[in-house]
Amino acid sequence: MAHPAHEETIHLVKEIFRSYLKERNQRQTPERFMVLNEIYTSDGHFDADDIFFRMKEGGTRVSRATVYNTLDLLVECGLVQRQQFGKSQYYYERAYAYQQHDHIICQQCGTVLEFCDPRIGEIQEMIGQIHGMDIKSHSLHFYGECKDKEACKKRQEEGSKIKEHLN
């Protein structure tokens, strides 16, 4: 699981985002930078509503549209990755200064585990050589079910309660 980024990384990603917006004649609003800051000071994977509600609960006034639009910009400029873990909903995670990793997703409770195995990079390199491709990145998701059924059920119930609270 990712940990909040260091202050120097946050400063650097803000400068990258500032340059990206300037090059494309996009507005550099405080709200966009608050969304970026929220992402880089948080842990793990999130959806757009997670960011929106965390910011709202923290007293930040930002619209859902601003969160969604800012996420699109952050994906375009390479500071955030968009993932789809088997559902119609997108999840996001930081992309800058973040080690290549893959995911295991529980199909019951939705828990996402990250793992890194250097053998996958070796396989990627070998596949590229076999097929005459210079592979730049990959996305690998394994789907299964938690072995601890009680913990899985508890996470499902907690997720339902949170969704009810937010609606």
Side-chain angles (χ1 to χ4, degrees):
M1 173 80 56
H3 298 291
H6 296 289
E7 196 62 41
E8 62 191 43
T9 301
I10 294 170
H11 176 73
L12 190 54
V13 295
K14 286 180 180 179
E15 287 306 312
I16 292 168
F17 192 42
R18 191 177 326 282
S19 295
Y20 180 84
L21 294 172
K22 188 175 183 179
E23 288 171 10
R24 285 158 185 74
N25 294 319
Q26 295 278 337
R27 293 183 18 220
Q28 298 180 38
T29 65
E31 293 81 8
R32 286 179 172 172
F33 286 92
M34 287 188 272
V35 171
L36 176 64
N37 192 68
E38 181 67 31
I39 290 166
Y40 273 80
T41 57
S42 299
D43 289 340
H45 303 91
F46 51 87
D47 65 21
D49 284 340
D50 292 335
I51 294 295
F52 173 73
F53 287 113
R54 277 196 303 234
M55 293 179 74
K56 187 176 176 182
E57 288 171 2
T60 302
R61 296 186 62 129
V62 64
S63 71
R64 254 196 182 106
T66 297
V67 171
Y68 277 91
N69 292 334
T70 302
L71 282 168
D72 287 342
L73 289 169
L74 292 168
V75 168
E76 287 171 19
C77 77
L79 293 175
V80 170
Q81 283 186 329
R82 185 182 338 226
Q83 303 280 347
Q84 195 168 9
F85 297 131
K87 302 174 185 173
S88 59
Q89 184 174 2
Y90 286 118
Y91 288 87
Y92 301 87
E93 62 184 335
R94 299 188 316 254
Y96 186 82
Y98 198 43
Q99 181 179 2
Q100 170 62 47
H101 62 277
D102 299 291
H103 301 98
I104 303 170
I105 301 102
C106 176
Q107 294 176 303
Q108 299 299 313
C109 69
T111 293
V112 178
L113 302 173
E114 295 179 352
F115 71 95
C116 183
D117 188 323
R119 294 173 295 183
I120 294 172
E122 294 168 10
I123 292 168
Q124 175 179 307
E125 183 68 28
M126 181 181 65
I127 295 297
Q129 288 176 359
I130 290 170
H131 295 284
M133 297 290 292
D134 184 15
I135 300 172
K136 302 293 185 191
S137 67
H138 73 269
S139 177
L140 177 61
H141 301 149
F142 289 109
Y143 296 91
E145 296 178 4
C146 296
K147 287 186 177 181
D148 185 340
K149 300 298 181 195
E150 286 185 36
C152 185
K153 185 175 181 178
K154 186 175 180 180
R155 284 190 292 269
Q156 284 177 295
E157 291 168 356
E158 288 171 356
S160 296
K161 289 177 187 176
I162 291 169
K163 288 177 184 172
E164 288 174 16
H165 175 71
L166 296 176
N167 291 330

